[in-house]
Amino acid sequence: MAIDAHQHFWDPARADYPWMDASELAPIRRAFGPTDLAPLLTANGIDASIVVQCRSALAETEEFLRIAQATPSVVGVVGWADLTDAALGDTLDRLRTLPGGAKLVGIRHQVHDEADPDWLLRADVRRGLAAVFARDLAYDFLVRTRELPAAIATAKAFPQARFVLDHAAKPPIADGGSIEWSDRIAALAACGNVWCKISGLATEAKWTDWDAERLFPFVQHVANCFGEDRLIFGSDWPVCLLAGSYGEIKGALEACLAKLGASVREKAFGVNAKRAYRLAT
């Protein structure tokens, strides 16, 4: 089964997405739902997907679970819940009783938008993460280079937990990369409980001037660090549309992974996602 482990649904007419206010994001400031994604999955040979949170609202998580219940191709939901809430455990238990609740596979927070680069190290956040892991859920790191030290410390603090790094921590591709990003990625990968999504890379490059060749050094670095058993493909659709079509994004990442070996490509397009998120399918 080929899995797209990172895609989104949203409707700006029905909810507020503060990160979407920037003028350059106007092309994606419209509704995107399962009926928009379905033909793209079919056309690109993808069997299933995992929908990932877009805003800090329980209502969105509940909506995604309902969508997952009604959409067989959505095999997992990485939702949002307040990690600082002392009653988080009760909230997670309630979410699992809802229609689609069995497809809740992980929790994510937009850590790179927090003013404090050490937000993940707060005692209340750590308490929340413990509640997440007690329910055998994964946690997605949405961080940039600035927050990677806190992510490393967090992965070390919960050695039995499962973490997934979104978008390879958004490397500064448009600027040619950085030693700081490279070194911190290596340190995070040394924690054996972290998987890395090869997703969102084209939008970290110059949107009108990128190709697989320019993305490859970054894919190669995370592959060298994480190994073939901890790389996961994600389209980051529809954010990816800022830089290219679903097919262009998938094709470029597939080309990068294929250069690293057939088994690398095969595992990144399904097997590793199933293990990281313990998917039932």
Side-chain angles (χ1 to χ4, degrees):
M1 175 176 284
I3 299 172
D4 177 349
H6 199 102
Q7 52 87 191
H8 305 286
F9 298 132
W10 62 62
D11 185 353
R14 297 177 53 237
D16 184 36
Y17 302 85
W19 60 270
M20 209 181 289
D21 291 341
S23 60
E24 63 267 24
L25 301 184
I28 59 171
R29 200 178 300 126
R30 63 176 181 83
F32 290 92
T35 57
D36 301 297
L37 180 61
L40 300 177
L41 297 182
T42 300
N44 288 280
I46 301 295
D47 302 300
S49 73
I50 295 173
V51 61
V52 179
Q53 72 91 215
C54 310
R55 61 192 183 98
S56 299
L58 269 178
E60 180 188 70
T61 304
E62 294 166 357
E63 178 184 9
F64 283 173
L65 293 176
R66 290 193 294 270
I67 289 174
Q69 177 75 1
T71 312
S73 63
V74 176
V75 293
V77 172
V78 175
W80 181 89
D82 186 357
L83 291 176
T84 68
D85 182 2
L88 174 61
D90 294 336
T91 298
L92 295 174
D93 292 340
R94 180 184 66 80
L95 289 171
R96 283 183 149 173
T97 69
L98 300 177
K103 290 187 177 181
L104 182 67
V105 297
I107 297 296
R108 184 176 91 149
H109 179 75
Q110 288 158 302
V111 174
H112 63 31
D113 290 338
E114 294 289 341
D116 181 5
D118 291 329
W119 185 86
L120 283 165
L121 307 184
R122 287 172 36 170
D124 53 355
V125 174
R126 287 287 178 88
R127 180 191 61 210
L129 288 171
V132 170
F133 301 136
R135 285 152 182 83
D136 200 29
L137 297 170
Y139 180 76
D140 271 35
F141 284 130
L142 181 55
V143 298
R144 296 183 186 272
T145 303
R146 183 192 72 147
E147 298 86 25
L148 276 173
I152 294 164
T154 301
K156 290 179 177 179
F158 295 95
Q160 302 307 313
R162 288 172 291 117
F163 295 91
V164 180
L165 177 65
D166 290 347
H167 313 320
K170 299 190 173 184
I173 298 175
D175 297 327
S178 77
I179 294 298
E180 191 175 43
W181 172 82
S182 298
D183 289 348
R184 290 178 179 181
I185 284 291
L188 181 62
C191 304
N193 56 344
V194 184
W195 284 259
C196 178
K197 283 183 186 172
I198 308 299
S199 59
L201 299 185
T203 46
E204 295 305 313
K206 294 178 181 178
W207 297 351
T208 58
D209 186 19
W210 68 274
D211 55 22
E213 183 177 352
R214 298 188 196 191
L215 299 185
F216 181 69
F218 300 90
V219 175
Q220 184 177 41
H221 180 67
V222 295
N224 288 342
C225 293
F226 284 91
E228 67 179 44
D229 292 324
R230 289 189 288 145
L231 295 180
I232 298 173
F233 163 74
S235 67
D236 199 27
W237 178 91
V239 179
C240 71
L241 299 179
L242 295 167
S245 69
Y246 190 105
E248 288 169 336
I249 298 298
K250 189 248 186 181
L253 295 179
E254 189 168 32
C256 289
L257 292 167
K259 288 175 67 174
L260 298 170
S263 63
V264 176
R265 181 215 166 276
E266 180 180 357
K267 291 179 179 180
F269 272 86
V271 174
N272 293 343
K274 291 180 70 172
R275 290 175 177 166
Y277 290 112
R278 295 190 176 166
L279 300 177
T281 185

